[in-house]
Amino acid sequence: MIEREQIEMDVVFVGAGPANLAAALHLKNQIKVHNDLIDRGLPGHKVGDLEIAIVEKGPFVGAHILSGAVMDPIAIRELMPDFLEQGCPVDTVVTDDEAWYLTDTKSITAPITPPPLKNKGKYIISLSKMCEWLGEKCEEAGINIFPDFPATEVLYNDANQVIGIRTGDKGIGKDGERKPNFEPGVDLLAKITVLGEGSRGSLAKQLMSRLGLMEDKEPQVFSLGVKELWELPAGNFPEGKVVHTLGFPSDTETYGGGWLYGMKNNVLSIGYVTGLDYKDPMIDPHAEFQKFKTHPEVAKILAGGKMIKYGAKSINTGGYWTMPKLYADGVMLVGDSASFLNGQRIKGIHTAMKSGMLAADTIILAFASNDFTSETLHHYHESVRMSWIHDELFPVRNFHAAFQRGRWSALVNSGLQYITGGLAWGFMPHEYHVAGHRRMEQIDGSASPAVTGGAVDRKQTGDGRESQAADAGSSSVGPFYHLNHAERYEDLKFDKQLTFDKITDVYHAGVSHDEDQPSHLHVLDTEICATRCTEEYGNPCQRFCPAAVYEMEANPQTGRRELKVNFSNCVHCKTCDIADPYQIINWVPPEGGGGPNYKGM
Ligand code: SF4
């Protein structure tokens, strides 16, 4: 039994991303506002000076933060109306935006940029820099930030109420034994814990499963964004220009698209998003991105330039129907952990920040009434519903679902949804399930399992992960598409000028992990890798991981191909935890500080 230090806080935020940083800062600011109002006669109780902590697994705020990114400033303006005067490190104002359709050799510019992709007046930013700056603002406001502190467990009391988090032990060797520098993790106890870990948060996953927060929700849908920063020769791409692309190299069955954002000093943010609900297990999202750069129009822009940074990150693209229940006793979910991203606009920073600020308002209510249960925390859900987040996300609630039948129906549906405020034909799984369920109730007084089968699966599986796997399994088990890896990418060569292999890219992600620690990638049954997965999917982990972590290697004794996990390459994108068809990979936070270094990305 390990003796652990217990530290009592009032509020603990897990993850120093935009949602939690905005939440903590707003909380500090609004306590003053609330107490002033009480002084002026508003009925209610004052809130004392709260002890607030933000725990972050990276070595500094921003180290593990990655996004495109074009930010809609609506939320930061609410948080800090003078954010520019206060030195917010926005890179460039968007002055021009275009949407390109890429054929194999040509690019066709849309005569009118679709309204959701209009970005003029918004800001191109490095989200890592922005979070670093917000972290400084938090510290100036008296908020405790603990970098190098990966939260590994949610703590509950006997009534299943969340009472804080446990951080990971440090100083355990790869053999599982304690090293001389062993330090047990600490228990941070809090009246309210806020999870803002980003996409596929490891504590959020535990919480959703244990408390059933995904009941009656659609399973989450993810994409993987792969990004590089390039220094270009002057004149190759204008500062302030934003381009989004559709088409090459994705096939019409696969959700995907590229971006090019012109930053200051001839730096270009370039990246490609691939939907992780792809059907062909031979797809490699990193290779899709490398192929994207070989398109003549894109290669022309990159000519003579130099790649300076690399990163990859999963993105919640499911939207409104895939949002979990946002609260439970003692806990709230914010930002990407709660699926606040607007997939149609490819934007989530503003909604993440706003969700954090709304959570902070509810925290004040909770402390003013000394009640930290769902009774009070449900106000967070209500305030989200009453806010512009709902107004923005509800009309695009069926956006991703429309891609289930490929690119062309998605384009038609996106247009219809834009006109009708979210309605379209035939591709609205949640509305369909609800409507189907109601129809069956009307017919025979009970819902048929055949009609509600998907929903039953989801109820049984809690966080939706297993049902996604089941869905993926049922659609993908059996023969692959006709493509194989060599054919799909046969023209792709890594010349280390325009295109890079995964290992070279990982080097540019600045990844480091202490090698003498247990792997943070728990593969629960490696026998499946060597048998069923080889036969049924061709071991897709070797392709979907953008950092060459997984390799099937011949065992020198037996000659049998077995899984090798190069965990120290991991860029913490969480794709393996999401996309493994058997759901036997569990990503857990490594020892404090390990991971990529996205400073300035
Ligand atoms: Fe991403 Fe998993 Fe690969 Fe790490 S091991 S880079 S989390 S896919």
Side-chain angles (χ1 to χ4, degrees):
M1 181 78 172
I2 298 174
E3 290 250 329
R4 292 177 191 279
E5 190 186 351
Q6 291 196 330
I7 302 175
E8 299 237 5
M9 306 298 298
D10 290 302
V11 186
V12 169
F13 291 94
V14 180
N20 270 348
L21 292 165
L25 208 47
H26 187 66
L27 177 57
K28 269 284 182 188
N29 296 339
Q30 289 308 111
I31 290 171
K32 289 190 207 103
V33 174
H34 170 85
N35 289 347
D36 279 353
L37 289 173
I38 302 289
D39 280 342
R40 284 200 244 147
L42 188 85
H45 298 283
K46 279 186 159 183
V47 173
D49 196 19
L50 302 183
E51 277 297 332
I52 303 169
I54 303 177
V55 293
E56 163 57 38
K57 69 182 169 66
F60 59 90
V61 174
H64 292 180
I65 298 287
L66 186 73
S67 183
V70 175
M71 177 181 74
D72 182 333
I74 180 171
I76 193 157
R77 229 173 240 143
E78 287 180 21
L79 177 69
M80 208 186 287
D82 58 347
F83 67 101
L84 291 176
E85 291 75 16
Q86 289 210 42
C88 178
V90 297
D91 187 274
T92 312
V93 180
V94 179
T95 50
D96 184 16
D97 44 19
E98 289 179 0
W100 294 356
Y101 183 79
L102 302 182
T103 67
D104 284 0
T105 53
K106 299 225 161 12
S107 113
I108 302 157
T109 304
I112 302 167
T113 303
L117 298 181
K118 287 196 169 153
N119 286 294
K120 273 190 199 160
K122 313 239 169 0
Y123 294 98
I124 301 173
I125 61 165
S126 150
L127 187 58
S128 165
K129 263 192 206 164
M130 166 113 177
C131 286
E132 206 174 345
W133 174 80
L134 276 172
E136 286 162 17
K137 291 285 164 200
C138 285
E139 285 185 320
E140 282 166 20
I143 294 157
N144 306 288
I145 300 191
F146 299 111
D148 269 356
F149 257 63
T152 54
E153 236 180 280
V154 181
L155 300 174
Y156 302 87
N157 64 15
D158 293 342
N160 224 15
Q161 294 168 323
V162 173
I163 54 164
I165 54 105
R166 176 166 294 168
T167 65
D169 297 338
K170 293 181 180 171
I172 297 184
K174 60 181 170 206
D175 53 5
E177 298 297 321
R178 293 180 194 179
K179 298 190 284 190
N181 63 346
F182 175 76
E183 257 182 67
V186 297
D187 287 348
L188 276 175
L189 303 179
K191 301 199 175 62
I192 298 181
T193 301
V194 183
L195 302 184
E197 307 165 281
S199 170
R200 194 57 156 193
S202 43
L203 296 200
K205 190 174 81 175
Q206 289 174 24
L207 185 87
M208 288 182 209
S209 176
R210 175 160 169 156
L211 302 184
L213 302 185
M214 287 301 287
E215 271 182 26
D216 299 325
K217 316 287 180 182
E218 290 299 319
Q220 187 52 264
V221 186
F222 295 89
S223 298
L224 175 62
V226 183
K227 169 179 173 179
E228 289 172 351
L229 278 187
W230 279 64
E231 273 171 5
L232 299 181
N236 276 29
F237 195 84
E239 178 181 324
K241 180 167 179 169
V242 161
V243 173
H244 290 104
T245 75
L246 193 67
F248 179 88
S250 289
D251 59 66
T252 57
E253 297 295 307
T254 305
Y255 177 80
W259 79 80
L260 299 126
Y261 302 157
M263 302 175 78
K264 268 192 197 124
N265 304 322
N266 299 308
V267 171
L268 180 77
S269 163
I270 178 168
Y272 202 82
V273 172
T274 300
L276 289 174
D277 48 358
Y278 57 79
K279 296 186 182 107
D280 177 2
M282 294 299 142
I283 284 181
D284 178 332
H286 172 270
E288 294 284 303
F289 171 51
Q290 299 303 320
K291 228 175 142 177
F292 168 64
K293 291 186 294 173
T294 66
H295 188 278
E297 287 301 318
V298 180
K300 198 164 73 188
I301 293 164
L302 298 175
K306 186 179 161 215
M307 189 267 283
I308 50 174
K309 283 228 156 222
Y310 170 78
K313 192 176 177 298
S314 61
I315 309 163
N316 300 54
T317 35
Y320 184 86
W321 295 129
T322 63
M323 288 170 81
K325 184 178 168 198
L326 299 174
Y327 62 93
D329 293 337
V331 70
M332 288 189 273
L333 292 157
V334 296
D336 275 5
S337 285
S339 194
F340 276 103
L341 184 126
N342 180 341
Q344 191 194 49
R345 292 181 72 199
I346 331 169
K347 279 194 181 36
I349 300 169
H350 64 305
T351 43
M353 291 178 80
K354 179 68 176 177
S355 70
M357 289 157 70
L358 294 171
D361 291 338
T362 297
I363 292 171
I364 293 176
L365 213 57
F367 278 91
S369 59
N370 200 29
D371 175 26
F372 310 101
T373 68
S374 299
E375 193 70 24
T376 299
L377 300 193
H378 85 272
H379 284 284
Y380 171 43
H381 170 83
E382 302 304 330
S383 56
V384 168
R385 275 189 69 85
M386 300 291 288
S387 74
W388 54 254
I389 294 186
H390 186 269
D391 296 344
E392 180 174 329
L393 296 186
F394 188 71
V396 297
R397 62 198 178 280
N398 294 312
F399 174 73
H400 193 89
F403 280 84
Q404 282 173 353
R405 295 193 194 169
R407 183 187 299 156
W408 304 121
S409 69
L411 285 178
V412 173
N413 257 291
S414 296
L416 283 174
Q417 287 174 22
Y418 187 72
I419 295 162
T420 61
L423 291 173
W425 103 84
F427 306 106
M428 299 167 284
H430 192 83
E431 281 156 318
Y432 174 75
H433 283 147
V434 172
H437 192 87
R438 284 203 195 109
R439 270 200 302 279
M440 288 310 295
E441 280 176 329
Q442 282 160 8
I443 293 165
D444 65 7
S446 69
S448 152
V451 174
T452 58
V456 171
D457 285 350
R458 278 185 286 284
K459 276 183 192 138
Q460 287 167 346
T461 55
D463 71 352
R465 183 176 76 159
E466 293 85 346
S467 67
Q468 190 186 28
D471 291 345
S474 61
S475 61
S476 304
V477 167
F480 300 151
Y481 277 37
H482 306 300
L483 298 167
N484 65 40
H485 189 55
E487 282 168 5
R488 188 169 193 113
Y489 302 114
E490 69 186 346
D491 299 336
L492 182 61
K493 307 277 180 291
F494 300 120
D495 64 7
K496 302 212 179 186
Q497 286 193 326
L498 176 64
T499 50
F500 303 92
D501 57 83
K502 289 181 183 177
I503 297 295
T504 307
D505 263 337
V506 166
Y507 171 78
H508 285 90
V511 181
S512 81
H513 290 93
D514 181 354
E515 302 258 351
D516 188 14
Q517 64 173 305
S519 168
H520 63 284
L521 300 154
H522 297 177
V523 184
L524 308 178
D525 183 353
T526 50
E527 192 53 27
I528 288 183
C529 311
T531 54
R532 280 186 63 195
C533 190
T534 304
E535 287 160 26
E536 293 173 349
Y537 296 98
N539 301 110
C541 58
Q542 301 178 104
R543 293 175 291 280
F544 60 57
C545 171
V549 168
Y550 299 99
E551 281 178 85
M552 292 302 287
E553 231 186 29
N555 178 323
Q557 263 92 49
T558 61
R560 192 170 89 135
R561 289 176 77 245
E562 290 171 359
L563 184 70
K564 182 178 167 214
V565 180
N566 307 304
F567 76 86
S568 54
N569 285 359
C570 177
V571 295
H572 296 200
C573 73
K574 317 284 181 70
T575 300
C576 49
D577 194 291
I578 296 159
D580 158 40
Y582 304 94
Q583 292 293 286
I584 52 171
I585 301 178
N586 192 28
W587 189 99
V588 300
E591 190 167 287
N597 181 347
Y598 290 147
K599 193 175 177 70
M601 268 292 260

